[in-house]
Amino acid sequence: MAVVRVPAENVVLRQPADITAFLARHAIDYEQWAPRHDVAADASSDDLLTAYAAQVGALKARGGYVTADVIDVKPDTPNLDAMLAKFNREHWHDEDEVRFIVEGRGLFHIHPASGPVFAIEVEAGDLIRVPRGTHHWFDLCADRRIRAIRLFQDVSGWTPHYTGSGVDQGFQPVCFGPTYVSSAPLPTA
Ligand SMILES: [Fe+2]
């Protein structure tokens, strides 16, 4: 289940209903897909897309998405830092950013047109849709692991446009996770 934080307001949301309502006010869709499909850790991308074909098909119809693929990132993924560096600075896309998290975790920061920056930590089972044009950035959590189904309206829209604002540098890419203990030292990754 996701965790939403609004650092400027010292707010942390952990209940799905609260998270859905908060994100909806910013036009971000959030839901949890059920039932989860039991897919082996070493299942291929095709196996994953087959297992979730019904949900992916429904989402395509709903959002006008035409393609789906799987992104699979591990700590030993070649050129991982270079890949992450494309997305950990504030940017936007010409199409929606749609992710269903199958394994691992990730951290979106959203910089809304009005209101303070907030963070959405997503994990397995979470579906998130960040609308086109939304200013945001993305980091992995300390375990540097995420496997997610991505949907696209047009793959050519998937280019990040950087704002160059530097706002992202004011926020640490720190995930809380379900086992976060406030007295523990914060990871620096
Ligand atoms: Fe993005």
Side-chain angles (χ1 to χ4, degrees):
M1 187 182 68
V3 179
V4 167
R5 283 177 283 142
V6 192
E9 298 177 349
N10 212 19
V11 166
V12 179
L13 304 176
R14 292 182 180 273
Q15 298 303 317
D18 295 340
I19 290 169
T20 302
F22 175 86
L23 295 179
R25 292 203 294 276
H26 294 283
I28 295 172
D29 292 341
Y30 168 76
E31 57 189 68
Q32 293 174 295
W33 276 1
R36 292 275 304 284
H37 295 290
D38 206 7
V39 181
D42 60 352
S44 70
S45 296
D46 284 345
D47 289 344
L48 208 51
L49 290 170
T50 299
Y52 283 97
Q55 284 103 327
V56 168
L59 202 55
K60 280 182 176 175
R62 208 167 88 196
Y65 308 110
V66 295
T67 62
D69 71 5
V70 174
I71 183 164
D72 196 348
V73 172
K74 302 172 184 174
D76 61 355
T77 295
N79 302 315
L80 178 56
D81 288 328
M83 180 195 301
L84 295 174
K86 292 181 183 173
F87 302 112
N88 68 4
R89 290 175 285 143
E90 188 179 64
H91 64 274
W92 80 93
H93 306 279
D94 292 326
E95 69 166 294
D96 299 348
E97 184 157 334
V98 186
R99 301 285 182 271
F100 172 67
I101 315 303
V102 178
E103 191 180 337
R105 294 188 291 154
L107 184 67
F108 288 90
H109 276 89
I110 307 291
H111 186 185
S114 62
V117 169
F118 57 91
I120 312 165
E121 186 177 324
V122 291
E123 65 174 20
D126 292 329
L127 170 72
I128 187 169
R129 183 189 69 90
V130 179
R132 64 181 72 186
T134 303
H135 291 188
H136 67 281
W137 62 96
F138 177 82
D139 293 280
L140 289 179
C141 298
D143 56 7
R144 292 159 74 87
R145 173 72 177 123
I146 196 164
R147 194 175 201 205
I149 295 174
R150 311 187 295 184
L151 287 100
F152 301 95
Q153 287 141 333
D154 176 350
V155 288
S156 68
W158 186 240
T159 306
H161 303 294
Y162 299 104
T163 67
S165 71
V167 169
D168 43 89
Q169 293 175 28
F171 296 86
Q172 286 192 41
V174 176
C175 298
F176 277 22
T179 57
Y180 175 78
V181 178
S182 61
S183 60
L186 294 176
T188 55

